[in-house]
Amino acid sequence: MIKTPNLDKLASEGVRFTNAYCTSASCAASRSVILTGKFGHATGSYGHTHDYHHFSTFDTIQSLPVMLEKAGYYTARIGKYHLAPESVYHFMEVLPADPRSTFEMAEKCKDVLNAEKPFFLYFCTDDPHRGAPFESDPWYLPNNFGNKPEGYPDVNTVKYDPKDVIVPSFLPDTKECREELAEYYQSCSRIDQGFGKLMAMLQASGKAENTIVIYISDNGIAFPGAKTTVYEPGIKLPCIIKDPMVQPKGLVNNALISWVDLTPTILDMTGVKSTENFHGRSFKNIIGEENPAGWDEIFASHTFHEITMYYPMRVVRSKNYKLIFNTAYRLEYPFASDLWASSTWQSIYRNKVAVYGKRKVQDYLFHPEFELFDLAADPDEIHNLASDKSYKAVLDSMQEKLKTFQRSTFDPWYIMWNHESVMQGTGVGL
Amino acid sequence: MKLISWLSYSTALISLAGCHSKTEKSIKDTRPNVILFVADDHGTDALVR
């Protein structure tokens, strides 16, 4: 439905992953994982970096751009950053740009594409994030998702009719939601055109056959039920990789991979060695396979979005089941500012509608300590099986997996498994 | 005489260093380039299926 011919072309020339996951559906926290190969709970990257949120990655962490620079790569970034501190996420070149003006962004990368050294270009759009201000006036108007009446230089504005959009099952099929999805689609088409321009420039530089192109997102779509949640719409993301060395073209890869795997994979692709103990692993050698063995489980770890949004969740997701451990289940589920203000949510909240998509609003606002879903039978993650005795063996097994994951990745929230420990904190060695 | 010998020796060393530097420059670094393109809040619903 959304017109993204350039992304379609990338998929036809590369590999599209159908089970690619971020580990935290929150911008800054997710980006830290992308560039470190480590879960945010182990690096201090618990939530947003900007303004008073002020989360920051430990100074001792080595990031991907720093490791590549040390190995002789020319590193440059353009657009959204949302990482801290700069010393950890240092790039040799920072290209100034309006991160919504995707075509212009691409044009500014010309010197990078023609660099003498091998380059690492980190290209981050603001699209299709919701546009500021998040509150519409009146409330029922859609957010603009960065779209402007006058458009952007050299971008062909692609508009969509709300009646034509496809409403995913986790969203309410309302006028407000459809109007917002139409704006979101328009923003996605703008990304596509900037991406197309970048690819055309890469081709013109003569380096296309020696350049690996990776297209991903930081987290899911900015609607309640997706972004900031660990439900599938929040963490299951696009991932297309074109590696000119990999055959066949147009492949669909069903391996379960996550963003902790990206840094080890890129280092592997570039032949750069590292002594870091990554939480992820390289999937370089299975890119060209459809259903590679041993890639059937991912973990997620979300702690904060905004500073006031304390809601740590730990997740193990296998081929068939997903277990969510809501460590702060006694709290009401917090909304990101942009999601709360959305006309999609406000139409439900103001009109006291009891159901949002397929989920009861009450269930969205109050989560139990454990949520266990059979994803094959219940892809919308509505029927919690955690207290169903016939699934006790599955629950026990997945709880053990989560504990092992938390212990092995030095998760401070591991103490949440023992209520007495929670009361004591981590500093008491009783 | 000693000065001339020293100058010749130095010139030879500089020439060798120059050759070495030229040799280094002529070895092209063929490691792959990487473009990591990250969209903001882009869900799978918008992706080619």
Side-chain angles (χ1 to χ4, degrees):
Chain A
M1 172 61 209
I2 306 179
K3 295 177 181 69
T4 54
N6 295 298
L7 288 176
D8 295 356
K9 184 167 185 283
L10 182 72
S12 71
E13 296 172 348
V15 177
R16 180 168 61 88
F17 286 82
T18 59
N19 289 302
Y21 289 81
C22 66
T23 66
S24 173
S26 178
C27 174
S30 181
R31 285 162 199 262
S32 77
V33 175
I34 291 167
L35 292 186
T36 65
K38 295 178 181 181
F39 290 96
H41 63 237
T43 67
S45 315
Y46 306 127
H48 276 348
T49 56
H50 66 284
D51 207 0
Y52 51 78
H53 309 291
H54 207 58
F55 288 109
S56 185
T57 301
F58 300 148
D59 294 335
T60 49
I61 300 294
Q62 281 216 76
S63 73
L64 176 64
V66 169
M67 288 184 275
L68 289 175
E69 181 182 343
K70 280 182 184 168
Y73 267 74
Y74 173 53
T75 64
R77 71 173 177 86
I78 188 167
K80 185 160 181 168
Y81 189 46
H82 218 180
L83 293 159
E86 196 280 335
S87 57
V88 168
Y89 301 102
H90 176 71
F91 285 80
M92 296 164 73
E93 186 85 39
V94 180
L95 303 166
D98 172 354
R100 297 277 189 185
S101 191
T102 56
F103 196 94
E104 280 187 328
M105 284 174 75
E107 285 184 319
K108 289 190 175 178
C109 295
K110 189 177 178 189
D111 288 348
V112 178
L113 301 182
N114 289 294
E116 199 171 299
K117 283 181 171 184
F119 66 79
F120 171 58
L121 173 61
Y122 182 58
F123 190 112
C124 302
T125 65
D126 261 13
D127 289 328
H129 194 286
R130 284 175 178 270
F134 297 140
E135 303 89 346
S136 298
D137 185 16
W139 69 264
Y140 51 79
L141 290 181
N143 182 271
N144 63 25
F145 288 81
N147 306 326
K148 295 193 295 193
E150 68 274 27
Y152 289 86
D154 298 308
V155 172
N156 173 35
T157 299
V158 183
K159 286 188 174 285
Y160 295 87
D161 190 329
K163 76 174 190 311
D164 295 333
V165 303
I166 298 165
V167 181
S169 57
F170 72 93
L171 290 176
D173 194 347
T174 59
K175 176 177 176 289
E176 289 82 5
C177 184
R178 283 182 168 273
E179 287 174 350
E180 291 213 298
L181 282 172
E183 296 287 335
Y184 167 79
Y185 280 22
Q186 184 177 325
S187 193
C188 290
S189 282
R190 188 162 55 248
I191 297 177
D192 185 74
Q193 291 180 53
F195 180 76
K197 174 63 179 173
L198 187 66
M199 291 301 99
M201 289 169 59
L202 178 65
Q203 197 66 43
S205 74
K207 295 187 177 177
E209 291 310 307
N210 192 35
T211 301
I212 295 158
V213 180
I214 302 172
Y215 182 92
I216 59 169
S217 172
D218 57 351
N219 51 253
I221 185 173
F223 284 74
K227 178 179 172 178
T228 77
T229 79
V230 289
Y231 296 129
E232 295 291 281
I235 59 175
K236 189 172 185 175
L237 300 180
C239 178
I240 309 175
I241 299 179
K242 181 187 174 187
D243 180 343
M245 301 297 128
V246 172
Q247 298 286 348
K249 308 297 181 196
L251 188 80
V252 171
N253 188 318
N254 299 309
L256 271 86
I257 60 166
S258 86
W259 286 183
V260 283
D261 301 322
L262 286 171
T263 281
T265 301
I266 292 170
L267 289 174
D268 197 9
M269 288 168 154
T270 53
V272 175
K273 305 288 179 209
S274 170
T275 53
E276 289 287 313
N277 292 314
F278 297 118
H279 296 155
R281 57 186 170 140
S282 171
F283 55 82
K284 171 179 172 274
N285 292 336
I286 57 104
I287 289 181
E289 296 180 36
E290 200 171 346
N291 293 298
W295 291 86
D296 47 15
E297 194 170 82
I298 60 102
F299 294 89
S301 169
H302 176 98
T303 304
F304 284 87
H305 182 62
E306 297 162 22
I307 185 67
T308 51
M309 293 176 61
Y310 177 74
Y311 207 85
M313 298 173 279
R314 300 296 182 260
V315 180
V316 53
R317 199 264 196 228
S318 65
K319 285 268 185 195
N320 301 322
Y321 293 102
K322 180 195 267 184
L323 176 66
I324 303 171
F325 178 21
N326 297 302
T327 69
Y329 64 97
R330 296 173 184 86
L331 300 174
E332 196 165 4
Y333 194 79
F335 279 74
S337 305
D338 56 336
L339 305 189
W340 177 265
S342 67
S343 59
T344 298
W345 169 247
Q346 287 296 317
S347 67
I348 300 294
Y349 179 67
R350 288 169 185 256
N351 295 315
K352 297 184 168 47
V353 178
V355 178
Y356 178 88
K358 290 188 174 177
R359 197 179 305 278
K360 289 178 189 164
V361 170
Q362 193 68 8
D363 290 345
Y364 189 71
L365 298 178
F366 296 95
H367 297 195
E369 186 173 18
F370 294 102
E371 294 174 84
L372 175 67
F373 300 111
D374 179 342
L375 295 166
D378 177 27
D380 293 304
E381 302 163 280
I382 302 297
H383 306 293
N384 183 12
L385 305 170
S387 55
D388 185 328
K389 283 179 184 162
S390 58
Y391 286 87
K392 187 176 182 311
V394 177
L395 179 67
D396 289 349
S397 160
M398 295 193 83
Q399 284 182 331
E400 283 309 310
K401 283 177 188 285
L402 258 192
K403 287 177 186 172
T404 303
F405 156 69
Q406 289 188 266
R407 273 198 307 269
S408 65
T409 58
F410 307 101
D411 183 354
W413 279 265
Y414 176 66
I415 63 168
M416 295 304 192
W417 288 95
N418 181 316
H419 290 154
E420 226 176 59
S421 300
V422 174
M423 305 280 279
Q424 293 167 0
T426 54
V428 181
L430 294 175
Chain B
M1 188 63 190
K2 273 186 182 174
L3 178 66
I4 292 167
S5 298
W6 182 84
L7 279 173
S8 306
Y9 178 67
S10 302
T11 309
L13 274 181
I14 291 165
S15 303
L16 275 173
C19 283
H20 181 62
S21 156
K22 276 178 191 161
T23 310
E24 272 188 347
K25 269 193 175 172
S26 67
I27 297 172
K28 193 167 165 53
D29 191 338
T30 56
R31 290 180 295 176
N33 309 298
V34 178
I35 297 176
L36 179 56
F37 193 110
V38 185
D40 200 359
D41 298 358
H42 188 179
T44 44
D45 54 280
L47 190 67
V48 57
R49 291 189 182 276

